[in-house]
Amino acid sequence: MYEDLMYYIWKYKHFNGELRTKDGCALEIIHPGERNPHSGPDFINARIRINQTDWAGNVEMHVRSSDWFRHGHQNDEAFDGIILHIVYEDDASVYRKNGEEIPQFTLKPFVSTAMLYRYQQFMRSRDSIACAGQLHLLDIVKEKLWFPALAAERLAQKKDVLQSLFERTAHSWEDMLYMALARNFGFKVNALPFEMLSRQIPLKQFFRMEHHAVEAVLFGMSGLLPENPEDDYPKALAKEFNFQKKRLNLKAIEKHLWKRTRPSNFPEIRLAQFAALMGSYQGLFSKIIEAGNIAVVRKFLENDIDTYWDTHYRFDKVSAKKKKNMGDAAINLLIINTILPVLFFYGKRMHQEVYCEQALDLLSQIPPEKNSIIDSFATIGLRADNALESQALLQLKKQYCVPKKCLQCRIGHELLQ
């Protein structure tokens, strides 16, 4: 038996038969109480009835009643007022300091063996999704009703990071979005240097520059401009950056901070795309909160980069001709991982749930992500039809399946029924 399962059975009153205490008294659970997250009794403010006498107070649980002594509760005043001791196996009686025996309830005779067996299957499963072999027993359409709540959980998890940015930008929503976008333009691999750039170049500086100057400052500050460029385009950028560097007292970050990835994600290409966004950025946050559908939001991120990059991935190195504007997949990831978490955070911060709902609605308008986690759920019959559902599945896997929190999972809860 697992204590977590005992908590679950008590909380949801999953018992078989008429309950009785150790000494044969009729037991009725009026209210199981609230789970205590701190030290002390497991449930507080419970209400029970023993032989027509009502009791209100705290409840303690152990797999074996002798655990009471093993945990030293007999010497702890916090446990002297326990109204009921719940155990799975009875191997001892427990008493208050005044010698009075504490009422004890043994779960074992009243617990469904099928529930216990299924939970043991969950805990012993070596599958990455513990309930994979039992998912076919459920109505998947019904279980998907939980997905908006899971997606909202995932959006809310970015609260601490966004709160930190919000404080750092003196409560400027536009500046916070700018810094969040900069970090995510690096797509994990180059998140750090992108974030460093956004910290060193205030957003308002870009509003005062022509597009060519924005490119020059970003490339110059990145440290990626060649010292002696050969092509006219980087030569012009270097000349402009030298001017802006003196005017704004700028200092480039270390070139070695940038990591090489596959060509389409080269830092030069991402910086060119970011520069294009900065050229039309002004008022972006305000535009987003007013957007009614995902096509409008996506339009804000679709910007043409300089034609130089059609034949280059790096400065002074010619490549086969190919348009390097941001693709739909990259734009979708920016919306999912940056735009919508910021919108959701704004709704929570301003106590306007309409924006939280808007973030979830926009999420549902985006195609589902493609990765190994989404694929693993699809193989067992749980397919994502949009990004809200794929985000929900990522939350389900990372926050419930991996730590095996089956008792807090709606799917696990349904299967245990």
Side-chain angles (χ1 to χ4, degrees):
M1 172 53 73
Y2 305 81
E3 279 199 4
D4 282 351
L5 182 57
M6 291 177 64
Y7 301 150
Y8 175 84
I9 291 169
W10 174 256
K11 179 178 179 179
Y12 293 103
K13 303 180 184 180
H14 290 315
F15 305 109
N16 294 331
E18 296 182 3
L19 309 186
R20 292 194 175 275
T21 62
K22 175 182 178 178
D23 54 5
C25 296
L27 171 65
E28 180 184 347
I29 305 167
I30 301 171
H31 190 283
E34 304 297 332
R35 183 78 174 89
N36 179 18
H38 309 294
S39 60
D42 293 316
F43 281 81
I44 58 176
N45 302 322
R47 292 176 58 215
I48 62 175
R49 181 172 294 137
I50 301 177
N51 273 358
Q52 304 306 312
T53 300
D54 288 358
W55 296 80
N58 303 330
V59 170
E60 179 67 6
M61 294 187 188
H62 293 111
V63 174
R64 296 176 181 82
S65 46
S66 58
D67 291 340
W68 177 277
F69 302 101
R70 189 166 61 86
H71 296 166
H73 296 333
Q74 73 277 14
N75 300 316
D76 190 339
E77 292 183 357
F79 293 86
D80 207 31
I82 294 295
I83 61 171
L84 186 66
H85 186 215
I86 303 170
V87 301
Y88 188 69
E89 294 182 356
D90 175 18
D91 62 353
S93 296
V94 297
Y95 300 86
R96 298 188 175 93
K97 286 186 176 180
N98 63 5
E100 182 182 358
E101 185 174 356
I102 297 175
Q104 190 160 278
F105 170 54
T106 305
L107 276 176
K108 195 170 187 177
F110 304 98
V111 173
S112 163
T113 54
M115 175 185 288
L116 177 57
Y117 173 71
R118 184 159 286 170
Y119 185 68
Q120 287 174 333
Q121 283 186 308
F122 290 163
M123 294 300 101
R124 295 170 182 171
S125 173
R126 294 186 178 181
D127 293 332
S128 61
I129 303 169
C131 65
Q134 303 174 45
L135 202 62
H136 67 279
L137 300 172
L138 299 179
D139 180 347
I140 296 303
V141 174
K142 178 182 175 184
E143 297 317 312
K144 280 191 173 187
L145 295 176
W146 186 37
F147 280 17
L150 282 171
E153 278 183 24
R154 188 161 175 82
L155 286 171
Q157 281 185 337
K158 298 182 183 290
K159 175 187 174 183
D160 291 343
V161 172
L162 295 177
Q163 180 67 38
S164 176
L165 290 179
F166 193 54
E167 299 297 335
R168 185 182 298 156
T169 57
H171 294 190
S172 166
W173 292 104
E174 294 287 357
D175 287 350
M176 185 194 76
L177 178 60
Y178 157 63
M179 294 189 74
L181 275 170
R183 181 175 179 81
N184 282 306
F185 250 85
F187 291 93
K188 291 186 179 180
V189 176
N190 284 310
L192 176 60
F194 258 106
E195 182 178 356
M196 292 174 67
L197 283 180
S198 69
R199 289 186 185 186
Q200 295 193 47
I201 312 173
L203 177 62
K204 63 183 179 182
Q205 294 290 357
F206 290 127
F207 296 161
R208 302 167 183 168
M209 297 178 185
E210 297 293 332
H211 177 64
H212 179 70
V214 171
E215 288 183 297
V217 168
L218 282 172
F219 279 116
M221 288 290 291
S222 73
L224 293 173
L225 267 177
E227 289 186 10
N228 298 298
E230 300 173 6
D231 295 342
D232 291 341
Y233 175 70
K235 282 181 180 178
L237 291 179
K239 181 178 179 181
E240 179 65 25
F241 176 63
N242 287 331
F243 168 74
Q244 297 292 346
K245 180 169 65 173
K246 294 175 183 177
R247 186 175 76 87
L248 302 172
N249 193 28
L250 300 174
K251 183 180 180 181
I253 66 174
E254 298 292 332
K255 181 179 179 179
H256 69 82
L257 293 171
W258 298 97
K259 302 292 187 291
R260 287 291 162 188
T261 60
R262 55 193 177 91
S264 60
N265 280 331
F266 271 13
E268 290 89 344
I269 301 303
R270 289 297 182 212
L271 279 167
Q273 293 167 349
F274 189 62
L277 174 62
M278 288 299 99
S280 61
Y281 184 94
Q282 196 156 7
L284 181 60
F285 179 79
S286 299
K287 295 173 185 175
I288 286 170
I289 64 173
E290 294 171 2
N293 60 70
I294 203 64
V296 174
V297 176
R298 187 177 282 114
K299 196 69 178 175
F300 300 145
L301 302 176
E302 293 173 346
N303 295 282
D304 291 330
I305 66 175
D306 195 283
T307 55
Y308 176 82
W309 298 108
D310 290 353
T311 54
H312 293 77
Y313 284 102
R314 302 173 68 177
F315 290 112
D316 298 332
K317 296 184 183 298
V318 178
S319 63
K321 189 172 183 179
K322 182 182 178 181
K323 203 71 176 169
K324 308 291 194 323
N325 293 338
M326 288 189 71
D328 288 342
I331 290 175
N332 287 340
L333 284 176
L334 277 177
I335 295 173
I336 292 169
N337 295 322
T338 310
I339 301 291
L340 299 185
V342 168
L343 180 59
F344 192 87
F345 176 69
Y346 176 77
K348 291 295 184 184
R349 175 84 186 188
M350 303 303 291
H351 305 290
Q352 296 190 43
E353 287 297 317
V354 63
Y355 293 112
C356 298
E357 294 169 5
Q358 181 180 341
L360 292 170
D361 179 56
L362 292 171
L363 195 56
S364 70
Q365 298 175 33
I366 302 173
E369 298 135 286
K370 296 180 180 179
N371 55 50
S372 60
I373 293 178
I374 306 305
D375 290 344
S376 67
F377 277 108
T379 60
I380 61 173
L382 202 51
R383 292 177 175 80
D385 295 323
N386 52 57
L388 183 148
E389 293 186 354
S390 60
Q391 284 286 293
L393 290 175
L394 291 174
Q395 183 72 2
L396 180 61
K397 177 66 180 290
K398 294 180 180 180
Q399 300 302 319
Y400 295 87
C401 297
V402 171
K404 289 201 171 180
K405 291 185 177 179
C406 304
L407 297 177
Q408 287 79 51
C409 170
R410 171 169 164 170
I411 293 174
H413 178 81
E414 292 291 334
L415 285 169
L416 286 173
Q417 305 309 304

